[in-house]
Tab-separated table of all heavy atoms in Angstrom:
chain	number	residue	atom	x	y	z
A	1	GLN	N	2.741	-142.351	38.009
A	1	GLN	CA	2.120	-143.638	37.375
A	1	GLN	C	1.868	-144.682	38.416
A	1	GLN	O	0.822	-145.308	38.407
A	1	GLN	CB	3.027	-144.055	36.244
A	1	GLN	CG	3.184	-143.226	35.067
A	1	GLN	CD	1.980	-142.950	34.238
A	1	GLN	OE1	0.867	-143.476	34.546
A	1	GLN	NE2	1.998	-142.148	33.299
A	2	ALA	N	2.900	-144.842	39.285
A	2	ALA	CA	2.712	-145.810	40.293
A	2	ALA	C	1.516	-145.440	41.297
A	2	ALA	O	0.698	-146.399	41.705
A	2	ALA	CB	3.927	-146.035	41.126
A	3	THR	N	1.411	-144.244	41.641
A	3	THR	CA	0.283	-143.814	42.535
A	3	THR	C	-0.947	-143.903	41.749
A	3	THR	O	-2.055	-144.357	42.296
A	3	THR	CB	0.567	-142.396	43.012
A	3	THR	OG1	1.881	-142.322	43.600
A	3	THR	CG2	-0.480	-141.891	43.996
A	4	LEU	N	-1.027	-143.442	40.521
A	4	LEU	CA	-2.263	-143.526	39.623
A	4	LEU	C	-2.743	-144.932	39.508
A	4	LEU	O	-3.935	-145.090	39.535
A	4	LEU	CB	-1.960	-142.987	38.316
A	4	LEU	CG	-3.156	-142.657	37.335
A	4	LEU	CD1	-4.222	-141.856	38.049
A	4	LEU	CD2	-2.786	-142.004	36.015
A	5	ALA	N	-1.920	-145.874	39.611
A	5	ALA	CA	-2.350	-147.380	39.499
A	5	ALA	C	-3.137	-147.727	40.711
A	5	ALA	O	-3.819	-148.757	40.601
A	5	ALA	CB	-1.099	-148.214	39.386
A	6	LEU	N	-3.111	-147.009	41.791
A	6	LEU	CA	-3.936	-147.311	42.950
A	6	LEU	C	-5.398	-147.007	42.634
A	6	LEU	O	-6.297	-147.373	43.358
A	6	LEU	CB	-3.393	-146.517	44.168
A	6	LEU	CG	-2.056	-146.796	44.629
A	6	LEU	CD1	-1.611	-145.862	45.681
A	6	LEU	CD2	-1.857	-148.115	45.058
A	7	CYS	N	-5.715	-146.157	41.700
A	7	CYS	CA	-7.111	-145.689	41.407
A	7	CYS	C	-7.861	-146.811	40.505
A	7	CYS	O	-7.134	-147.584	39.841
A	7	CYS	CB	-7.033	-144.412	40.638
A	7	CYS	SG	-6.340	-142.969	41.548
A	8	ASP	N	-9.128	-146.666	40.550
A	8	ASP	CA	-9.894	-147.549	39.667
A	8	ASP	C	-9.651	-147.285	38.231
A	8	ASP	O	-9.149	-146.081	38.000
A	8	ASP	CB	-11.336	-147.527	40.033
A	8	ASP	CG	-11.958	-146.253	39.814
A	8	ASP	OD1	-11.930	-145.427	40.739
A	8	ASP	OD2	-12.477	-145.983	38.699
A	9	GLU	N	-9.984	-148.110	37.305
A	9	GLU	CA	-9.642	-147.850	35.825
A	9	GLU	C	-10.351	-146.654	35.302
A	9	GLU	O	-9.769	-145.857	34.561
A	9	GLU	CB	-9.993	-149.088	35.060
A	9	GLU	CG	-9.085	-150.284	35.193
A	9	GLU	CD	-9.299	-151.356	34.147
A	9	GLU	OE1	-9.783	-151.137	32.995
A	9	GLU	OE2	-8.892	-152.462	34.403
A	10	ASP	N	-11.613	-146.414	35.672
A	10	ASP	CA	-12.309	-145.101	35.132
A	10	ASP	C	-11.495	-143.953	35.577
A	10	ASP	O	-11.340	-142.973	34.890
A	10	ASP	CB	-13.721	-145.118	35.594
A	10	ASP	CG	-14.551	-146.141	34.846
A	10	ASP	OD1	-14.085	-146.537	33.739
A	10	ASP	OD2	-15.802	-146.412	35.298
A	11	SER	N	-11.203	-143.842	36.855
A	11	SER	CA	-10.442	-142.706	37.508
A	11	SER	C	-9.121	-142.570	36.730
A	11	SER	O	-8.691	-141.438	36.398
A	11	SER	CB	-10.279	-142.822	38.965
A	11	SER	OG	-11.576	-142.838	39.586
A	12	GLN	N	-8.419	-143.677	36.547
A	12	GLN	CA	-7.110	-143.559	35.826
A	12	GLN	C	-7.455	-142.971	34.443
A	12	GLN	O	-6.578	-142.141	33.928
A	12	GLN	CB	-6.557	-144.926	35.694
A	12	GLN	CG	-5.909	-145.447	36.983
A	12	GLN	CD	-5.165	-146.788	36.764
A	12	GLN	OE1	-4.324	-146.836	35.867
A	12	GLN	NE2	-5.508	-147.746	37.441
A	13	ALA	N	-8.448	-143.487	33.636
A	13	ALA	CA	-8.715	-142.968	32.290
A	13	ALA	C	-8.985	-141.503	32.393
A	13	ALA	O	-8.480	-140.788	31.519
A	13	ALA	CB	-9.817	-143.767	31.744
A	14	ILE	N	-9.796	-141.063	33.352
A	14	ILE	CA	-10.139	-139.577	33.512
A	14	ILE	C	-8.966	-138.779	33.625
A	14	ILE	O	-8.671	-137.848	33.020
A	14	ILE	CB	-11.206	-139.445	34.535
A	14	ILE	CG1	-12.554	-140.047	34.116
A	14	ILE	CG2	-11.322	-138.014	34.918
A	14	ILE	CD1	-13.523	-140.276	35.264
A	15	VAL	N	-8.019	-139.210	34.521
A	15	VAL	CA	-6.838	-138.474	34.837
A	15	VAL	C	-5.952	-138.427	33.532
A	15	VAL	O	-5.375	-137.340	33.228
A	15	VAL	CB	-6.081	-139.007	36.130
A	15	VAL	CG1	-4.749	-138.316	36.294
A	15	VAL	CG2	-6.973	-138.788	37.282
A	16	ARG	N	-5.758	-139.537	32.955
A	16	ARG	CA	-5.043	-139.591	31.742
A	16	ARG	C	-5.493	-138.719	30.667
A	16	ARG	O	-4.788	-137.887	29.901
A	16	ARG	CB	-4.854	-140.969	31.216
A	16	ARG	CG	-4.019	-141.849	32.123
A	16	ARG	CD	-4.008	-143.244	31.703
A	16	ARG	NE	-3.429	-144.183	32.724
A	16	ARG	CZ	-2.226	-144.254	33.167
A	16	ARG	NH1	-1.322	-143.622	32.470
A	16	ARG	NH2	-1.848	-145.098	34.081
A	17	TYR	N	-6.872	-138.717	30.492
A	17	TYR	CA	-7.501	-137.766	29.370
A	17	TYR	C	-7.293	-136.322	29.820
A	17	TYR	O	-6.996	-135.539	28.862
A	17	TYR	CB	-8.953	-138.037	29.271
A	17	TYR	CG	-9.410	-139.368	28.495
A	17	TYR	CD1	-10.322	-140.111	28.919
A	17	TYR	CD2	-8.724	-139.656	27.259
A	17	TYR	CE1	-10.819	-141.279	28.201
A	17	TYR	CE2	-9.158	-140.752	26.533
A	17	TYR	CZ	-10.152	-141.610	27.011
A	17	TYR	OH	-10.502	-142.731	26.375
A	18	LYS	N	-7.308	-136.018	31.049
A	18	LYS	CA	-7.180	-134.589	31.416
A	18	LYS	C	-5.851	-134.175	31.439
A	18	LYS	O	-5.437	-133.106	30.859
A	18	LYS	CB	-7.728	-134.554	32.876
A	18	LYS	CG	-7.900	-133.117	33.366
A	18	LYS	CD	-9.104	-132.439	32.945
A	18	LYS	CE	-9.341	-131.159	33.452
A	18	LYS	NZ	-9.788	-130.161	32.498
A	19	LEU	N	-4.845	-134.920	31.920
A	19	LEU	CA	-3.479	-134.512	32.003
A	19	LEU	C	-2.747	-134.685	30.738
A	19	LEU	O	-1.879	-133.929	30.351
A	19	LEU	CB	-2.715	-135.372	33.099
A	19	LEU	CG	-3.197	-135.157	34.638
A	19	LEU	CD1	-2.264	-136.056	35.452
A	19	LEU	CD2	-3.077	-133.780	34.905
A	20	PHE	N	-2.875	-135.780	30.047
A	20	PHE	CA	-2.036	-136.103	28.824
A	20	PHE	C	-2.740	-135.770	27.536
A	20	PHE	O	-1.989	-135.595	26.550
A	20	PHE	CB	-1.622	-137.636	28.837
A	20	PHE	CG	-0.908	-137.940	30.085
A	20	PHE	CD1	-1.443	-138.967	30.934
A	20	PHE	CD2	0.295	-137.454	30.388
A	20	PHE	CE1	-0.799	-139.352	32.035
A	20	PHE	CE2	1.000	-137.802	31.501
A	20	PHE	CZ	0.485	-138.759	32.360
A	21	LEU	N	-4.022	-135.509	27.547
A	21	LEU	CA	-4.772	-135.205	26.291
A	21	LEU	C	-5.391	-133.810	26.378
A	21	LEU	O	-5.866	-133.177	25.477
A	21	LEU	CB	-5.803	-136.120	25.862
A	21	LEU	CG	-5.281	-137.385	25.333
A	21	LEU	CD1	-6.400	-138.379	25.099
A	21	LEU	CD2	-4.421	-137.221	24.126
A	22	ASP	N	-5.268	-133.172	27.607
A	22	ASP	CA	-5.841	-131.922	27.940
A	22	ASP	C	-7.329	-131.813	27.539
A	22	ASP	O	-7.747	-130.744	26.901
A	22	ASP	CB	-4.948	-130.802	27.197
A	22	ASP	CG	-5.203	-129.474	27.861
A	22	ASP	OD1	-5.532	-129.412	28.998
A	22	ASP	OD2	-5.097	-128.424	27.141
A	23	LYS	N	-8.028	-132.828	27.779
A	23	LYS	CA	-9.450	-132.810	27.403
A	23	LYS	C	-10.233	-132.154	28.600
A	23	LYS	O	-9.833	-132.098	29.785
A	23	LYS	CB	-10.028	-134.277	27.373
A	23	LYS	CG	-9.350	-135.124	26.296
A	23	LYS	CD	-10.264	-135.102	25.194
A	23	LYS	CE	-9.630	-135.963	24.129
A	23	LYS	NZ	-10.309	-135.938	22.842
A	24	SER	N	-11.368	-131.512	28.196
A	24	SER	CA	-12.253	-130.898	29.164
A	24	SER	C	-13.121	-132.038	29.889
A	24	SER	O	-13.202	-133.113	29.479
A	24	SER	CB	-13.128	-129.874	28.566
A	24	SER	OG	-14.123	-130.600	27.688
A	25	PHE	N	-13.674	-131.607	30.966
A	25	PHE	CA	-14.527	-132.613	31.696
A	25	PHE	C	-15.717	-132.974	30.830
A	25	PHE	O	-16.076	-134.102	30.821
A	25	PHE	CB	-15.100	-132.002	33.002
A	25	PHE	CG	-14.006	-131.837	34.128
A	25	PHE	CD1	-13.690	-130.588	34.655
A	25	PHE	CD2	-13.259	-132.888	34.476
A	25	PHE	CE1	-12.754	-130.489	35.686
A	25	PHE	CE2	-12.267	-132.779	35.530
A	25	PHE	CZ	-11.974	-131.588	35.984
A	26	ARG	N	-16.252	-132.062	30.117
A	26	ARG	CA	-17.354	-132.345	29.243
A	26	ARG	C	-16.995	-133.333	28.091
A	26	ARG	O	-17.611	-134.291	27.792
A	26	ARG	CB	-17.871	-131.025	28.603
A	26	ARG	CG	-18.991	-131.245	27.727
A	26	ARG	CD	-19.529	-129.836	27.064
A	26	ARG	NE	-20.455	-130.050	26.056
A	26	ARG	CZ	-21.728	-130.026	26.220
A	26	ARG	NH1	-22.281	-130.130	27.430
A	26	ARG	NH2	-22.521	-130.222	25.210
A	27	GLU	N	-15.801	-133.093	27.579
A	27	GLU	CA	-15.237	-133.987	26.409
A	27	GLU	C	-15.099	-135.456	26.960
A	27	GLU	O	-15.484	-136.328	26.427
A	27	GLU	CB	-13.941	-133.532	25.853
A	27	GLU	CG	-14.022	-132.317	25.053
A	27	GLU	CD	-12.864	-131.665	24.657
A	27	GLU	OE1	-11.818	-131.532	25.485
A	27	GLU	OE2	-12.718	-131.163	23.501
A	28	ILE	N	-14.551	-135.436	28.262
A	28	ILE	CA	-14.185	-136.715	28.849
A	28	ILE	C	-15.670	-137.456	29.119
A	28	ILE	O	-15.661	-138.690	28.787
A	28	ILE	CB	-13.490	-136.627	30.116
A	28	ILE	CG1	-12.095	-136.073	29.813
A	28	ILE	CG2	-13.295	-137.984	30.810
A	28	ILE	CD1	-11.233	-135.562	31.084
A	29	ALA	N	-16.579	-136.765	29.617
A	29	ALA	CA	-17.823	-137.269	29.908
A	29	ALA	C	-18.604	-137.849	28.733
A	29	ALA	O	-19.112	-138.945	28.580
A	29	ALA	CB	-18.791	-136.240	30.558
A	30	LEU	N	-18.367	-137.166	27.611
A	30	LEU	CA	-19.051	-137.567	26.299
A	30	LEU	C	-18.226	-138.912	25.786
A	30	LEU	O	-18.956	-139.818	25.386
A	30	LEU	CB	-18.913	-136.537	25.227
A	30	LEU	CG	-19.860	-135.324	25.465
A	30	LEU	CD1	-19.526	-134.191	24.536
A	30	LEU	CD2	-21.331	-135.742	25.430
A	31	GLU	N	-17.007	-138.982	25.972
A	31	GLU	CA	-16.235	-140.014	25.542
A	31	GLU	C	-16.473	-141.322	26.301
A	31	GLU	O	-16.440	-142.328	25.789
A	31	GLU	CB	-14.751	-139.773	25.461
A	31	GLU	CG	-14.384	-138.783	24.313
A	31	GLU	CD	-12.800	-138.583	24.173
A	31	GLU	OE1	-12.017	-139.520	24.669
A	31	GLU	OE2	-12.469	-137.601	23.540
A	32	MET	N	-16.552	-141.142	27.628
A	32	MET	CA	-16.871	-142.292	28.501
A	32	MET	C	-18.362	-142.588	28.797
A	32	MET	O	-18.638	-143.565	29.430
A	32	MET	CB	-16.141	-141.955	29.842
A	32	MET	CG	-14.694	-141.803	29.722
A	32	MET	SD	-13.803	-141.558	31.237
A	32	MET	CE	-13.973	-143.219	32.004
A	33	CYS	N	-19.170	-141.718	28.271
A	33	CYS	CA	-20.602	-141.867	28.261
A	33	CYS	C	-21.048	-142.001	29.819
A	33	CYS	O	-21.812	-142.768	30.258
A	33	CYS	CB	-21.072	-143.171	27.640
A	33	CYS	SG	-20.755	-143.258	25.829
A	34	VAL	N	-20.694	-140.996	30.557
A	34	VAL	CA	-21.005	-140.798	31.962
A	34	VAL	C	-21.288	-139.242	32.132
A	34	VAL	O	-20.959	-138.483	31.303
A	34	VAL	CB	-19.923	-141.240	32.922
A	34	VAL	CG1	-19.664	-142.754	32.864
A	34	VAL	CG2	-18.693	-140.502	32.677
A	35	ALA	N	-21.956	-138.994	33.244
A	35	ALA	CA	-22.380	-137.669	33.527
A	35	ALA	C	-21.038	-136.769	33.869
A	35	ALA	O	-20.069	-137.335	34.427
A	35	ALA	CB	-23.182	-137.634	34.780
A	36	GLU	N	-21.072	-135.501	33.412
A	36	GLU	CA	-19.874	-134.653	33.685
A	36	GLU	C	-19.543	-134.571	35.197
A	36	GLU	O	-18.388	-134.490	35.530
A	36	GLU	CB	-20.183	-133.310	33.113
A	36	GLU	CG	-18.926	-132.357	33.051
A	36	GLU	CD	-19.182	-130.983	32.400
A	36	GLU	OE1	-20.238	-130.905	31.569
A	36	GLU	OE2	-18.373	-130.112	32.617
A	37	SER	N	-20.633	-134.553	35.971
A	37	SER	CA	-20.524	-134.372	37.494
A	37	SER	C	-19.714	-135.719	37.985
A	37	SER	O	-18.804	-135.596	38.872
A	37	SER	CB	-21.714	-134.324	38.139
A	37	SER	OG	-22.619	-135.417	37.872
A	38	THR	N	-20.012	-136.863	37.367
A	38	THR	CA	-19.214	-138.043	37.765
A	38	THR	C	-17.803	-137.969	37.398
A	38	THR	O	-16.876	-138.380	38.176
A	38	THR	CB	-19.870	-139.282	37.041
A	38	THR	OG1	-21.175	-139.419	37.443
A	38	THR	CG2	-19.170	-140.570	37.384
A	39	VAL	N	-17.484	-137.412	36.235
A	39	VAL	CA	-16.104	-137.249	35.829
A	39	VAL	C	-15.413	-136.285	36.748
A	39	VAL	O	-14.219	-136.617	37.143
A	39	VAL	CB	-15.983	-136.682	34.291
A	39	VAL	CG1	-14.633	-136.295	33.926
A	39	VAL	CG2	-16.535	-137.614	33.400
A	40	LYS	N	-15.933	-135.179	37.123
A	40	LYS	CA	-15.342	-134.240	38.013
A	40	LYS	C	-15.087	-134.916	39.302
A	40	LYS	O	-13.974	-134.710	39.931
A	40	LYS	CB	-16.248	-133.049	38.142
A	40	LYS	CG	-16.310	-132.117	36.913
A	40	LYS	CD	-17.106	-130.950	37.178
A	40	LYS	CE	-17.266	-130.015	35.952
A	40	LYS	NZ	-18.161	-128.851	36.217
A	41	THR	N	-16.109	-135.584	39.829
A	41	THR	CA	-16.018	-136.229	41.195
A	41	THR	C	-14.780	-137.166	41.230
A	41	THR	O	-13.967	-137.231	42.063
A	41	THR	CB	-17.254	-136.925	41.653
A	41	THR	OG1	-18.336	-135.931	41.637
A	41	THR	CG2	-17.199	-137.584	42.944
A	42	LYS	N	-14.835	-138.057	40.140
A	42	LYS	CA	-13.643	-139.020	40.105
A	42	LYS	C	-12.330	-138.432	39.872
A	42	LYS	O	-11.382	-138.829	40.478
A	42	LYS	CB	-13.954	-140.099	38.938
A	42	LYS	CG	-15.097	-141.134	39.305
A	42	LYS	CD	-15.257	-142.076	38.212
A	42	LYS	CE	-16.224	-143.195	38.566
A	42	LYS	NZ	-15.727	-144.272	39.283
A	43	TYR	N	-12.350	-137.335	39.010
A	43	TYR	CA	-11.019	-136.652	38.867
A	43	TYR	C	-10.468	-136.078	40.094
A	43	TYR	O	-9.301	-136.258	40.505
A	43	TYR	CB	-11.234	-135.599	37.737
A	43	TYR	CG	-10.002	-134.674	37.565
A	43	TYR	CD1	-8.946	-135.258	36.720
A	43	TYR	CD2	-9.893	-133.505	38.032
A	43	TYR	CE1	-7.751	-134.556	36.538
A	43	TYR	CE2	-8.730	-132.784	37.859
A	43	TYR	CZ	-7.728	-133.141	37.091
A	43	TYR	OH	-6.491	-132.517	36.885
A	44	TYR	N	-11.282	-135.288	40.819
A	44	TYR	CA	-10.868	-134.622	42.074
A	44	TYR	C	-10.469	-135.589	43.130
A	44	TYR	O	-9.533	-135.402	43.900
A	44	TYR	CB	-11.815	-133.506	42.498
A	44	TYR	CG	-11.846	-132.405	41.534
A	44	TYR	CD1	-12.940	-131.952	40.835
A	44	TYR	CD2	-10.641	-131.635	41.335
A	44	TYR	CE1	-12.893	-130.895	39.973
A	44	TYR	CE2	-10.618	-130.527	40.479
A	44	TYR	CZ	-11.675	-130.239	39.667
A	44	TYR	OH	-11.701	-129.236	38.955
A	45	LYS	N	-11.352	-136.733	43.199
A	45	LYS	CA	-11.024	-137.752	44.263
A	45	LYS	C	-9.661	-138.293	43.937
A	45	LYS	O	-8.828	-138.614	44.825
A	45	LYS	CB	-12.030	-138.785	44.291
A	45	LYS	CG	-11.877	-139.815	45.274
A	45	LYS	CD	-13.026	-140.974	45.231
A	45	LYS	CE	-12.771	-141.979	46.168
A	45	LYS	NZ	-13.814	-143.041	46.154
A	46	ALA	N	-9.317	-138.638	42.676
A	46	ALA	CA	-8.033	-139.204	42.190
A	46	ALA	C	-6.969	-138.316	42.488
A	46	ALA	O	-5.839	-138.606	42.944
A	46	ALA	CB	-8.097	-139.672	40.668
A	47	ILE	N	-7.191	-137.030	42.152
A	47	ILE	CA	-6.013	-135.960	42.387
A	47	ILE	C	-5.745	-135.901	43.900
A	47	ILE	O	-4.550	-135.775	44.262
A	47	ILE	CB	-6.493	-134.576	41.782
A	47	ILE	CG1	-6.590	-134.695	40.265
A	47	ILE	CG2	-5.623	-133.552	42.215
A	47	ILE	CD1	-5.292	-135.038	39.562
């Protein structure tokens, strides 16, 4: 959590949706109204 706080809010939200809700990249993209490629890029950068 402390390390995740270093990321921007969108990246934090993406990681939380993926890790704690087990959402797919597509589901996250639809929920956040951004491209799936953006979600993947932010997720892997945050990881």
Side-chain angles (χ1 to χ4, degrees):
Q1 296 293 358
T3 306
L4 190 55
L6 300 173
C7 298
D8 64 271
E9 283 190 28
D10 283 344
S11 296
Q12 286 186 54
I14 290 166
V15 171
R16 290 174 195 285
Y17 282 139
K18 189 79 174 142
L19 295 180
F20 303 117
L21 289 175
D22 201 28
K23 298 264 185 188
S24 70
F25 290 123
R26 180 178 170 88
E27 291 170 321
I28 297 168
L30 290 171
E31 286 188 21
M32 296 182 71
C33 299
V34 295
E36 187 174 343
S37 60
T38 301
V39 170
K40 288 179 181 178
T41 300
K42 286 183 175 275
Y43 175 77
Y44 289 118
K45 183 178 177 184
I47 292 299

